[in-house]
Amino acid sequence: MKNSTQQLRSTSPAFLQALLKSERLRIRVVLAAIGAAFAVRTVRTAILFNHENLTLWLITTAFIAVILACELMILRAVDRALKDGHDLPNGVWITNIVIETSLPGLALAFLSAGVPDAAYRALANPVVLVYFVFIILSTLRLDPATCRISGAVAALSYLLAAAYLGWRPAFGTTESVLSPDRTVVGFALTFVIGGYVAGAVAGEIRKQVEAALREAETKRQVERLQHDLEVARSIQQSLLPVGAPEVGGFEIAAWNQPADQTGGDYYDWQVFPDGKLLAVLGDVTGHGIGPALLAAVCRAYVRATFTPDGDLLSAMQRVNGALARDVGPRRFVTFVALRCAPESPRVEMLSAGHGPLLVYHIREDRFDELQAQGLPLGLMPDMGSEPPKMLELESGDLLVITTDGFFEWANAQEEQFGIERMEDVIRAVKDKSPREIIAALYKAVIEFSGGTPQDDDLTALIVKRK
């Protein structure tokens, strides 16, 4: 079974890139350290030049050449993997660990001949310190198991090199723990412990890398989502009518502001060749991408179904049937359609689950709150509904249709704006244009909310008889 690092390596391209870059850094540090050690050895040989030092320098040079060849081969493989975007085979990683951690043992075996006492040859050579360099650098592989393997291979190669140099383990003796024979074992155990310590450090580094990668990936996903939402918002806004319709005897305005970047409310109108106007307002349950898509579907159905002289109820029933087939049982649309003709005071209106609808009679200074005639669209395959209402609007009368985002917006005390406050605002600005009335409603609800967030979409459609 793969360990967590291997699983992450295989599923996260970002982590794989981070791992390979870390390995490349580790190899470069090893090459730099080897270069520095070789330079020091060369200067020392030049200063203390004799036949023995020259021989050791040549052996060291050959040994370093082998190390450089191995490291450069791995570095080339890592660079190629980074370029191609794939991982190195597990065999390459393990082989590199074994070879790299065994090389100090070879150096120890062949560069310790100058020490006369065999018991001290594995202790007196500074090459022993190279083991710690490789174990420390193994943390850059970001894999605790690799660090532990490095420590174990270091201990094994050290013991083999010590045995080659004449060291023999002392079992069942009374020698001090500081004796050379026992100190060799202590060094080997130190390498093993060092591998576990390095593994713990590598594990912590890996956690930080994983957290940083997850944060970066989350940020990229959020940015992509924000971009997609902006595109969806621009498309949805482009589906709303531009400008106000020209219908003799009427002044009409509408406005929409989603709670999110996209929303489930929409309004639309069509002015037919004979001058008649069809205006609609829909409110899909919820807000966001899903309701926005359903609102666009509803708009398309309405535009394809409603005609200047066709029956509103029949057209709405056809739209309801199409939506009921397309949407799930938990989605529906409250919908209002109204139709009027130039210079005629009559407005034909049909509401599917949308209400209350406010009609303000300016002469009597009176509001009528009209309720829906039928069920919301998409709720059931067969839409039961009363016939459309015929409204007679006199000069200055207003038909105000809003979504519930207006009157259900609550303040910090959880008190809703309500229908009565809407009526008060409308009464106060009754002489203004529909666009100004909508602006006054929005201003009033914002002031009433006291800074509470907008939880629902806001849409308003106002028809005023001139």
Side-chain angles (χ1 to χ4, degrees):
M1 182 181 291
K2 290 183 177 182
N3 61 31
S4 59
T5 300
Q6 290 172 320
Q7 291 174 341
L8 188 60
R9 211 161 62 197
S10 61
T11 58
S12 173
F15 183 80
L16 175 59
Q17 290 287 308
L19 179 65
L20 292 172
K21 289 179 180 178
S22 182
E23 175 66 8
R24 183 172 61 183
L25 173 62
R26 191 195 65 79
I27 295 173
R28 288 175 176 175
V29 172
V30 170
L31 292 176
I34 292 173
F38 180 70
V40 171
R41 181 67 182 181
T42 301
V43 171
R44 182 181 177 184
T45 301
I47 295 174
L48 303 174
F49 183 81
N50 56 46
H51 183 270
E52 181 182 0
N53 283 340
L54 179 60
T55 301
L56 289 175
W57 181 85
L58 291 174
I59 296 174
T60 303
T61 301
F63 176 73
I64 288 177
V66 174
I67 297 178
L68 289 176
C70 293
E71 296 294 341
L72 290 174
M73 287 176 60
I74 297 297
L75 181 60
R76 182 180 179 185
V78 169
D79 287 336
R80 188 163 53 246
L82 276 170
K83 181 179 179 181
D84 299 338
H86 62 74
D87 195 5
L88 292 175
N90 286 333
V92 174
W93 291 101
I94 296 174
T95 302
N96 177 242
I97 294 169
V98 174
I99 292 176
E100 188 176 83
T101 318
S102 299
L103 288 175
L106 295 175
L108 185 64
F110 294 104
L111 297 178
S112 301
V115 180
D117 191 339
Y120 285 94
R121 288 176 184 173
L123 302 174
N125 196 321
V127 172
V128 175
L129 299 176
V130 177
Y131 280 118
F132 291 104
V133 174
F134 284 119
I135 292 173
I136 292 170
L137 290 177
S138 68
T139 58
L140 292 176
R141 286 192 167 109
L142 307 180
D143 186 5
T146 297
C147 299
R148 292 192 288 269
I149 292 173
S150 296
V153 172
L156 179 61
S157 66
Y158 175 69
L159 291 176
L160 291 175
Y164 176 81
L165 294 173
W167 167 82
R168 295 294 179 268
F171 298 107
T173 66
T174 58
E175 292 184 13
S176 169
V177 293
L178 299 178
S179 65
D181 292 337
R182 293 187 180 275
T183 302
V184 169
V185 177
F187 275 24
L189 291 175
T190 301
F191 296 150
V192 173
I193 294 171
Y196 275 87
V197 172
V201 174
E204 290 301 316
I205 295 174
R206 188 188 68 195
K207 289 179 183 178
Q208 298 301 321
V209 172
E210 291 173 359
L213 290 174
R214 281 195 294 268
E215 182 179 355
E217 183 63 25
T218 301
K219 183 178 179 181
R220 283 193 294 268
Q221 291 176 354
V222 170
E223 289 174 350
R224 286 196 297 267
L225 180 60
Q226 290 288 348
H227 176 265
D228 292 343
L229 287 174
E230 287 296 333
V231 172
R233 177 183 175 85
S234 65
I235 292 174
Q236 185 179 36
Q237 292 297 312
S238 69
L239 296 177
L240 298 177
V242 178
E246 297 288 338
V247 182
F250 293 95
E251 192 174 1
I252 301 168
W255 174 82
N256 167 263
Q257 179 171 285
D260 297 326
Q261 277 132 324
T262 57
D265 289 3
Y266 92 99
Y267 66 88
D268 193 21
W269 49 61
Q270 295 173 267
V271 179
F272 296 105
D274 61 359
K276 289 182 179 179
L277 169 75
L278 173 72
V280 300
L281 182 147
D283 182 1
V284 181
T285 52
H287 49 85
I289 287 290
L293 294 174
L294 184 53
V297 171
C298 183
R299 175 186 182 276
Y301 284 151
V302 169
R303 287 219 161 199
T305 305
F306 283 79
T307 60
D309 298 312
D311 181 60
L312 284 185
L313 180 56
S314 298
M316 195 172 291
Q317 287 174 336
R318 291 195 295 274
V319 172
N320 173 76
L323 287 174
R325 290 190 297 270
D326 290 345
V327 303
R330 297 182 181 180
R331 292 286 187 186
F332 58 86
V333 184
T334 63
F335 186 81
V336 182
L338 61 90
R339 185 166 56 191
C340 59
E343 308 304 337
S344 171
R346 305 187 69 184
V347 175
E348 184 182 11
M349 184 179 68
L350 181 61
S351 171
H354 195 94
L357 314 172
L358 301 180
V359 180
Y360 178 65
H361 301 279
I362 192 169
R363 180 175 297 180
E364 295 90 0
D365 189 22
R366 171 176 57 87
F367 278 94
D368 288 338
E369 294 184 14
L370 307 179
Q371 302 301 320
Q373 289 93 56
L375 296 174
L377 301 182
L379 195 61
M380 299 180 64
D382 297 324
M383 174 188 170
S385 175
E386 300 174 1
K389 288 187 178 293
M390 298 300 298
L391 306 176
E392 293 282 345
L393 298 184
E394 298 181 357
S395 176
D397 287 355
L398 296 167
L399 172 58
V400 180
I401 305 172
T402 66
T403 55
D404 51 11
F406 273 97
F407 50 83
E408 290 184 357
W409 196 334
N411 57 19
Q413 291 73 41
E414 299 185 356
E415 180 185 6
Q416 293 184 350
F417 187 67
I419 298 297
E420 291 185 6
R421 289 186 179 87
M422 286 187 60
E423 293 177 353
D424 291 341
V425 174
I426 294 169
R427 183 177 283 109
V429 294
K430 60 183 181 295
D431 295 326
K432 296 186 179 295
S433 68
R435 182 174 298 277
E436 292 172 312
I437 294 173
I438 293 174
L441 279 173
Y442 179 65
K443 180 181 178 181
V445 75
I446 287 293
E447 291 176 352
F448 170 81
S449 68
T452 59
Q454 178 185 341
D455 292 330
D456 201 357
D457 305 326
L458 300 176
T459 305
L461 172 65
I462 295 182
V463 178
K464 185 174 186 179
R465 176 71 176 154
K466 290 184 180 179

